[in-house]
Amino acid sequence: MAFTRRASHAGSWYADNGSELRKQLDDWLSAADLSHGPARAIIAPHAGYSYCGECAGFAYRQISPVVVRRIFILGPSHHVRLTSCALSSVSVYQTPLYDLHIDQKVRKELEETGHFDWMDVNTDEEEHSIEMQLPFIAKVMEEFKDSFTIIPILVGSLSPEKEALYGRLLAPYMADPQALFIISSDFCHWGQRFRYIYYDRSCGPIHRSIQNLDKMGMNIIETLNPAMFTDYLKKYGNTICGRHPIGILLQLINCLKGRTNGHRMNLKFLKYAQSSQCNNMNDSSVSYASASLVVE
């Protein structure tokens, strides 16, 4: 097995200088309010930080690093066709701040279920959805950098039944209050280059239609109802790239509802942004949203 995954998007999607990156992350985290924490799971975007860093800061601000010891990162596959979930074949993930280490025990347990494939280091380094979460993780967990491990999971194009399967497999881990789940997802990819140009003219400008469509999906995700989210995607086809990781999150929350000893699970979106405002059919944009799940 390959041992180390380099920070392949550093220097392009985000700063490769540790001091510069640390300051940027600090600024974004400081600008966000701690309003819905401590998070047991977050949804965070994975675009270049110049586009989504501020938005992502709102999700990461909700994390309480003192209690977190295992971090599961579920990111969609953008480049490799996959109809399952895949585990990382490396042991160490590099970031410009410090290295993050794979949880060998949990990886072995998941492998032994027989439901996970492997992603090789080339697939891993080409994909950005997991990597873009790592510097934020490293910054938030900096004071506890020797006390936590990560479990990256690449999520393919799954049926609702497979989302439910992976939800069941991962639910026991989320039952542990020391576990944190990070769901990596951007929201609507709009424009000809994304082959998606849904436009409800009653909303006014195109960017308002996109926002309305995304907010509709966000409201449904907040209900924690996986079937409603699936129906929404079927009806509107919204190009939420992390829809399958989100689907797994909703399914594992569903599995846990009977195990929370009267506690209520509450997911709330905290920030929404668009890379640009679309006003005509030749424009394009990507939407970003940050959310936090707490157990009350």
Side-chain angles (χ1 to χ4, degrees), residues 43-142:
I43 298 172
H46 54 233
Y49 285 176
S50 61
Y51 294 102
C52 76
E54 179 187 4
C55 184
F58 279 78
Y60 280 92
R61 181 69 178 88
Q62 314 312 312
I63 294 171
S64 176
V66 68
V67 300
V68 174
R69 292 297 172 263
R70 283 177 173 161
I71 301 177
F72 293 76
I73 312 153
L74 277 63
S77 176
H78 289 85
H79 307 292
V80 174
R81 179 165 174 75
L82 189 66
T83 56
S84 62
C85 288
L87 301 169
S88 173
S89 60
V90 304
S91 300
V92 176
Y93 275 56
Q94 293 180 336
T95 82
L97 303 185
Y98 58 89
D99 292 347
L100 307 181
H101 295 267
I102 299 285
D103 193 306
Q104 306 284 353
K105 177 178 179 290
V106 172
R107 180 169 65 180
K108 190 170 189 303
E109 290 170 354
L110 294 178
E111 178 193 1
E112 288 174 350
T113 67
H115 292 291
F116 288 84
D117 292 320
W118 291 100
M119 57 172 161
D120 60 34
V121 69
N122 292 329
T123 298
D124 205 338
E125 289 184 351
E126 186 178 3
E127 180 55 62
H128 63 274
S129 68
I130 292 171
E131 180 180 343
M132 298 308 293
Q133 308 303 330
L134 303 181
F136 266 104
I137 292 171
K139 180 65 191 75
V140 168
M141 298 298 297
E142 201 159 24

Side-chain angles (χ1 to χ4, degrees), residues 24 44 63 74-75 98 194 207 212 232 282:
Q24 290 174 341
I63 294 171
L74 277 63
Y98 58 89
F194 299 118
H207 62 87
N212 186 64
Y232 160 82
N282 294 319

Side-chain angles (χ1 to χ4, degrees), residues 3-4 24-26 37 63 92 159 188 197 242:
F3 181 66
T4 299
Q24 290 174 341
L25 295 168
D26 259 331
I63 294 171
V92 176
S159 65
C188 185
I197 52 170

Side-chain angles (χ1 to χ4, degrees), residues 20-50:
E20 179 187 348
L21 179 60
R22 183 176 281 105
K23 183 182 185 310
Q24 290 174 341
L25 295 168
D26 259 331
D27 288 347
W28 289 320
L29 289 164
S30 297
D33 294 327
L34 174 55
S35 58
H36 198 68
R40 294 287 292 277
I42 63 170
I43 298 172
H46 54 233
Y49 285 176
S50 61

Side-chain angles (χ1 to χ4, degrees), residues 13 26 33 54 163 174 189 191 212 216 248 251-252 272:
W13 290 52
D26 259 331
D33 294 327
E54 179 187 4
E163 290 175 359
M174 194 176 182
H189 297 59
N212 186 64
M216 196 188 313
I248 292 175
Q251 290 287 356
L252 69 86
Y272 176 79

